[in-house]
Amino acid sequence: MSEIQHVRIKDITSAHAGQSVEIRGWLRNKPGGKGRYFLWLRDGSGEIQAVAEQDELPASVWADCERIGLESSIVVTGTVRQHPKNADEFELQLTDIRVLQDVADYPIGKKAHGVEFLMKNRHLWLRGTRQSAILRIRSEVQKAFADFFYDRGFYRVDTPVFTPNACEGTTTLFEVDYHGDTVYLTQSGQLYNEADIGALGQVYCFGPTFRAEKSKTRRHLLEFWMLEMEAAYYDHFDNMRCQEEMLAFTVRRILDNCRADLKLLDRDPAKLEPALETPYPRIRYGDTIEIINDWRIMKLAESRQVSPEQGREMLFSGKSVNIRDESFEDANEQKQRISAFRWGDDYGAPDELRISDRFDRPCFVTNFPVEIKGFYFKDELNEDGTERIDPVFTKLQANEPGLIVPGSTGHTVLGSDCLGSEGAGELIGGSQREDDLARLEAKIAHHKLPPEFLEWYVDLRRYGNVPHSGFGIGLERTVAWLAGGSDNPLHLRETIAFPRMLHQYEP
Ligand code: 4AD
Ligand code: MG
């Protein structure tokens, strides 16, 4: 007898048709009965159906097929053939089976389970069709990110997890006792990246990132993975170009290499295709104010059954009003309390959706007010080096001063948020960095950051200072966009094997 070839399911092609192959995996499901079973096999790389027919099999093999329960570990031998219905799929005619462990009572059944149960059994839930497909896509995204930067001559550096200070605000720091000293789990590797470019020119880091988020939304984890790039001599525009090219490159990879997984997830690849084309649309923060308010007026008028004019009056009266927003699945997100969106307000998820829904691919929101961004963002300047005042701000000052958060200057930063399409929310935050020594020192003081911990960072502006930019992309948000999108909006807990969320750190 000839040696039977072991193959992984994802590697089965038309070249295997008619051949006998061995699949080493687990039993995913077993519809059928009365002389024929369809054994759905999975081996981690994909899923395939093996048809077992009583008439064709030795009695002992048939008996094994009959007795095994879901998630039994099995090695199956069968002959490959085209799936009778799906042209781009294959199936096996089962000829033999070896049962390593017969499982009779797998706790996750076919009936719908609650999220709490599934999370408690995350170590098993992972094996589900959807869950494993999402994790394969995650792996492909990581490879795509790495290849993209490698191809462009970036070096990967690894930034520390224990850090003495905040990068993204002091309210989301996780404290660690460092033999008597207090340090924090990293919120971002950016500051270290800025030092690393002095050595390597163009770098990226990619690792776990920690934010003590108190909010329980589907877009927030307490531990997530972020790729952060930093490049010397890149300005704000080079930075956005790099981001859109990276996303387009990643989408190409997913469409090329993860077709089977997208199919398992019922994810329509056509919805990702527009993102292959760059440049992506850009819109300044100032220009989003009217978009957001127009929508709030419309929603208010709808909820309260008043005219748009009355809605406008109510919204701009300064009070806040309760509305319902059916564009969100989550009951908590549907209930919203709105007032007019003012210059200086930060976006909530519904606002991001308003902006991103105008486009069929990701978009950039740029030039946020300095007051709502971190200490390291570079200001947008006039030709003469003074801070530029945004024209929308000037107009509001003249016509609608109530739409300005008190204390706002109208100055903006050379930074951007990249919002995913299909309601994915913010995927990337990035900016040109403040490279002026005096301005940077003033910002550190203004943000009340302990200067002694940032002395080394300020040093970078003293020795071989250059204009530079960078960004950070959240891996889980990216996976949720690619694997779920609007076809099945994913909670971030499904985009990482063992999610860390508010009050949730097991298993
Ligand atoms: O916008 P953020 O906070 O930017 C930074 O940390 C910069 N220092 C990056 C840089 O310029 N080097 O975070 C960047 C991205 C967000 O756009 C989002 O995708 C993701 O990180 N992110 C989260 N993902 C999951 N859960 C959370 N709690 C997240 N917070 C941020
Ligand atoms: Mg951000």
Side-chain angles (χ1 to χ4, degrees):
M1 215 180 99
S2 70
E3 184 92 347
I4 289 170
Q5 189 196 356
H6 164 231
V7 288
R8 297 202 83 202
I9 293 168
K10 72 171 167 57
D11 296 327
I12 295 177
T13 66
S14 51
H16 292 97
Q19 288 179 20
S20 194
V21 299
E22 180 185 277
I23 305 289
R24 302 172 183 168
W26 296 267
L27 181 64
R28 172 88 197 91
N29 204 352
K30 197 176 80 171
K34 292 206 195 86
R36 183 193 281 147
Y37 281 111
F38 300 93
L39 272 56
W40 292 5
L41 313 177
R42 56 173 200 87
D43 70 352
S45 77
E47 300 192 0
I48 194 167
Q49 155 176 303
V51 184
E53 276 168 309
Q54 187 171 15
D55 293 348
E56 311 282 324
L57 293 170
S60 66
V61 172
W62 176 251
D64 279 343
C65 292
E66 274 206 300
R67 79 184 156 96
I68 53 173
L70 300 193
E71 289 304 320
S72 295
S73 32
I74 50 179
V75 176
V76 166
T77 307
T79 314
V80 176
R81 65 169 176 239
Q82 200 80 48
H83 190 286
K85 292 201 193 104
N86 307 333
D88 52 348
E89 279 179 36
F90 300 93
E91 64 173 18
L92 299 180
Q93 181 70 34
L94 184 142
T95 52
D96 200 4
I97 188 167
R98 188 151 55 87
V99 182
L100 279 74
Q101 185 176 51
D102 182 11
V103 174
D105 51 359
Y106 187 64
I108 302 183
K110 275 168 277 180
K111 73 170 167 79
H113 293 287
V115 170
E116 203 181 322
F117 175 86
L118 292 171
M119 285 304 298
K120 194 161 169 271
N121 288 285
R122 181 63 178 162
H123 56 297
L124 301 176
W125 184 30
L126 281 179
R127 305 174 179 197
T129 299
R130 282 166 43 82
Q131 301 305 314
S132 49
I134 294 167
L135 293 180
R136 282 190 292 271
I137 288 175
R138 177 185 169 106
S139 171
E140 192 70 32
V141 172
Q142 286 181 295
K143 172 87 163 57
F145 284 176
D147 288 348
F148 175 84
F149 284 108
Y150 187 87
D151 291 353
R152 277 166 180 71
F154 281 71
Y155 297 100
R156 178 167 175 164
V157 291
D158 298 301
T159 51
V161 171
F162 291 132
T163 58
N165 57 277
C167 175
E168 295 297 329
T170 49
T171 56
T172 59
L173 285 171
F174 270 111
E175 264 184 41
V176 181
D177 172 19
Y178 199 79
H179 291 312
D181 292 337
T182 298
V183 300
Y184 308 97
L185 297 180
T186 182
Q187 288 177 317
S188 162
Q190 177 194 323
L191 306 185
Y192 297 99
N193 273 351
E194 288 186 56
D196 293 329
I197 58 168
L200 302 169
Q202 304 182 337
V203 303
Y204 73 96
C205 63
F206 197 0
T209 307
F210 305 88
R211 306 266 170 102
E213 306 277 5
K214 294 265 162 51
S215 54
K216 233 179 160 173
T217 84
R218 68 182 170 90
R219 291 177 200 80
H220 290 95
L221 296 171
L222 278 67
E223 176 182 316
F224 63 98
W225 281 62
M226 178 156 63
L227 180 144
E228 295 181 86
M229 89 75 164
E230 198 70 31
Y233 297 101
Y234 267 44
D235 69 11
H236 171 54
F237 298 98
D238 299 324
N239 196 28
M240 286 190 284
R241 215 155 23 244
C242 183
Q243 293 169 49
E244 64 201 6
E245 283 170 9
M246 179 194 66
L247 287 179
F249 181 92
T250 305
V251 169
R252 178 79 272 154
R253 274 291 175 84
I254 296 302
L255 293 179
D256 288 347
N257 297 350
C258 297
R259 285 276 166 182
D261 290 321
L262 293 174
K263 197 164 177 186
L264 289 173
L265 289 161
D266 283 324
R267 176 72 172 123
D268 181 3
K271 291 190 186 160
L272 289 170
E273 272 162 18
L276 295 169
E277 254 177 68
T278 62
Y280 294 164
R282 281 135 214 233
I283 182 166
R284 291 175 66 99
Y285 169 91
D287 295 321
T288 67
I289 295 177
E290 196 174 313
I291 296 170
I292 295 171
N293 279 332
D294 281 352
W295 180 85
R296 289 187 183 183
I297 290 164
M298 193 263 289
K299 270 286 146 188
L300 198 162
E302 228 175 72
S303 306
R304 295 298 174 94
Q305 313 244 320
V306 297
S307 72
E309 292 71 32
Q310 288 167 310
R312 187 179 187 85
E313 221 164 276
M314 279 169 81
L315 192 75
F316 287 7
S317 71
K319 287 189 235 108
S320 52
V321 201
N322 288 319
I323 58 151
R324 280 181 69 78
D325 180 359
E326 256 73 34
S327 51
F328 285 89
E329 287 209 350
D330 196 304
N332 288 327
E333 286 179 316
Q334 285 184 359
K335 270 189 266 161
Q336 290 167 27
R337 201 168 168 74
I338 56 168
S339 51
F341 187 87
R342 302 167 301 168
W343 178 281
D345 284 335
D346 213 342
Y347 299 141
D351 307 318
E352 288 179 347
L353 187 62
R354 243 65 282 158
I355 301 162
S356 63
D357 258 4
R358 303 161 72 86
F359 310 107
D360 63 356
R361 67 202 69 190
C363 66
F364 291 102
V365 183
T366 71
N367 297 88
F368 293 90
V370 289
E371 290 81 13
I372 60 171
K373 290 292 178 186
F375 74 98
Y376 54 74
F377 284 77
K378 188 173 176 63
D379 292 340
E380 184 181 42
L381 301 177
N382 293 311
E383 298 262 308
D384 66 0
T386 55
E387 287 106 346
R388 182 168 185 262
I389 295 182
D390 191 281
V392 172
F393 181 84
T394 310
K395 229 160 86 192
L396 289 175
Q397 263 184 328
N399 306 327
E400 297 269 18
L403 291 190
I404 296 177
V405 172
S408 301
T409 54
H411 300 154
T412 72
V413 293
L414 292 175
S416 56
D417 280 1
C418 180
L419 309 180
S421 44
E422 300 177 72
E426 181 194 324
L427 303 178
I428 311 179
S431 75
Q432 189 164 341
R433 316 307 190 185
E434 184 53 78
D435 50 0
D436 182 282
L437 177 62
R439 283 177 191 275
L440 181 63
E441 284 178 326
K443 286 182 184 205
I444 290 171
H446 177 80
H447 283 261
K448 299 194 174 64
L449 296 167
E452 62 278 16
F453 290 133
L454 288 170
E455 199 41 42
W456 67 268
Y457 180 73
V458 176
D459 246 3
L460 304 173
R461 275 65 176 164
R462 295 195 178 101
Y463 305 111
N465 193 20
V466 293
H468 62 286
S469 302
F471 64 83
I473 178 163
L475 176 61
E476 291 76 14
R477 298 243 185 118
T478 307
V479 172
W481 170 54
L482 295 169
S486 54
D487 291 318
N488 48 73
L490 291 179
H491 192 296
L492 290 198
R493 68 178 162 239
E494 294 184 68
T495 61
I496 183 166
F498 293 97
R500 298 293 173 247
M501 301 180 299
L502 197 60
H503 310 308
Q504 161 92 53
Y505 43 81
E506 286 179 301

